Amino acid sequence: MDWIVFGRAPLGPGLLGALSHLIFFIRGEWHMRVPAIISFYFISSIAMLYLEIHLTGNFTASMKAVGRAACSYAAGLYISIIIYRKYFHRLKGFPGPPLAGITKLWHVWESAGGKNHLLLEDLFSLYGPIIRTGPEELTIIDAALPHIIDGPKSQLTKATFYDVFLPMVAMSATRNVNDHDARRRIWNKSFSPKAMASYEELILRFTELLTSQIENLLSPRNADIESPEATINVTDWFAWYAFDIMGEFAFSRSFNMLRDRKWHSKICLLVDGMSAGDALGKVPWLAQLGKNIRPRMPLVKDWDSMMQWCKGCMDERLQVSVNL
């Protein structure tokens, strides 16, 4: 068995790892295939172990041989990736943190806790307006760029960040141009002059509710303005205002957070999921791996619960429309 001899050679699996990068992984996008790749490697390792045991009859020696081959392969693969990203990638000449050119995981770590804006401010002062913040990513701090990147004549493709919540994806987050255009044609009806005029009354109603609730909280009859209890967390109130309006637009029902003066349980799940999505969006392959390996972990379970609730609300609204 030639492959057995090759696998036991000190440099054989390492060379195979480097070749797998240079022939396959260096091309295209692989972030959505990580669960399948890991499954393939796991099955391959089990098959190699079975054949080694069959040929040698020694389980311990076979385990060591397959373990050495797997480690050697991984070392060859990652050394090839690091050398390419640091010295041969098209972005190698742009300034940025040393680890940024190797892995995006550094960004996840450094920006944890919602500190990405502070991190980028520090990087901007250190490296200038164009920063390499990932192996295949540039962060450009320039007011002229949004129109060029997101303008109607842009030929650019959205980053892999938008794949973090696949298989479900919003129209604004789809990376496929044809899919986006087809869905946008449906949405255009909601932005006609007639439709926009009909929203005004709805928005005014929630605006009046917001102002009245804040006025009631600050009324001397209800609280001493000088006391800490009279402090208003405007972040919460503006979020409740926005989500209540969005609930009416999307589901024909409000979340009633302005009325109840507290967060709706499903919106709490959404906020928590979006916070995690902000971090994992930098490494969407890790999000997909987590959803496949631990589909019942609390965060994934809660997100799926929230999405199923939204789907139920939309089904109810569609049923009402059909009955009308």
Side-chain angles (χ1 to χ4, degrees):
M1 297 292 288
D2 292 339
W3 72 270
I4 295 291
V5 176
F6 182 75
R8 289 177 177 173
L11 298 179
L15 179 61
L16 184 62
L19 287 175
S20 65
H21 169 239
L22 297 174
I23 295 175
F24 298 107
F25 298 130
I26 204 171
R27 297 174 174 82
E29 295 182 351
W30 294 88
H31 60 284
M32 295 302 299
R33 305 178 189 176
V34 167
I37 292 172
I38 291 179
S39 297
F40 171 76
Y41 283 145
F42 178 77
I43 294 172
S44 299
S45 298
I46 296 298
M48 289 175 61
L49 178 62
Y50 173 80
L51 290 175
E52 280 280 357
I53 294 173
H54 179 73
L55 291 172
T56 64
N58 189 319
F59 178 80
T60 302
S62 298
M63 283 286 291
K64 291 181 179 179
V66 172
R68 285 194 299 267
C71 291
S72 179
Y73 174 88
L77 172 65
Y78 289 114
I79 289 173
S80 178
I81 290 174
I82 292 171
I83 292 174
Y84 168 72
R85 290 177 173 179
K86 289 293 289 184
Y87 302 107
F88 298 99
H89 197 278
R90 290 177 295 174
L91 302 183
K92 66 181 186 298
F94 290 94
L99 287 177
I102 298 176
T103 176
K104 191 64 179 170
L105 289 173
W106 81 272
H107 200 170
V108 176
W109 177 262
E110 293 292 339
S111 62
K115 297 182 292 186
N116 189 53
H117 61 295
L118 299 176
L119 172 65
L120 293 181
E121 183 178 1
D122 292 339
L123 295 179
F124 173 69
S125 62
L126 185 61
Y127 296 107
I130 304 178
I131 311 159
R132 188 181 185 186
T133 50
E136 299 180 334
E137 176 184 289
L138 293 178
T139 296
I140 305 175
I141 304 175
D142 188 329
L145 262 294
H147 178 72
I148 297 174
I149 295 174
D150 294 325
K153 295 182 180 180
S154 174
Q155 298 297 313
L156 301 176
T157 301
K158 285 185 173 70
T160 55
F161 167 88
Y162 293 94
D163 286 340
V164 68
F165 293 121
L166 285 178
M168 301 193 73
V169 61
M171 182 272 292
S172 59
T174 180
R175 302 177 67 209
N176 183 285
V177 176
N178 293 331
D179 183 32
H180 174 274
D181 291 347
R183 296 171 68 176
R184 177 58 190 266
R185 282 192 290 271
I186 300 173
W187 269 93
N188 282 342
K189 300 176 183 179
S190 300
F191 296 100
S192 65
K194 181 179 179 181
M196 295 296 288
S198 68
Y199 303 149
E200 184 176 355
E201 180 180 351
L202 175 65
I203 294 174
L204 285 175
R205 174 159 57 87
F206 281 103
T207 303
E208 291 172 355
L209 177 58
L210 171 65
T211 56
S212 65
Q213 288 283 51
I214 293 177
E215 287 174 355
N216 289 335
L217 286 174
L218 296 179
S219 172
R221 294 173 299 176
N222 299 327
D224 181 1
I225 296 180
E226 300 298 328
S227 69
E229 289 77 14
T231 301
I232 301 297
N233 186 337
V234 295
T235 300
D236 284 351
W237 281 97
F238 289 158
W240 298 342
Y241 169 77
F243 278 117
D244 277 356
I245 292 175
M246 285 189 281
E248 286 283 0
F249 283 158
F251 306 134
S252 290
R253 64 166 75 172
S254 170
F255 295 107
N256 293 321
M257 292 190 289
L258 284 176
R259 184 197 67 186
D260 300 336
R261 301 183 182 183
K262 64 180 182 179
W263 287 90
H264 189 282
S265 60
K266 298 303 181 183
I267 297 301
C268 288
L269 298 181
L270 172 63
V271 172
D272 291 342
M274 293 300 293
S275 298
D278 177 61
L280 295 178
K282 301 177 180 66
V283 281
W285 60 268
L286 187 58
Q288 293 298 320
L289 183 61
K291 286 192 290 186
N292 279 269
I293 294 178
R294 292 289 305 277
R296 304 303 295 175
M297 72 171 64
L299 183 61
V300 175
K301 184 179 178 181
D302 289 346
W303 179 264
D304 289 342
S305 172
M306 186 272 296
M307 295 302 295
Q308 287 301 316
W309 181 82
C310 291
K311 182 178 182 297
C313 290
M314 290 302 300
D315 288 341
E316 289 180 13
R317 180 172 184 179
L318 289 171
Q319 189 62 43
V320 171
S321 298
V322 170
N323 292 336
L324 293 176

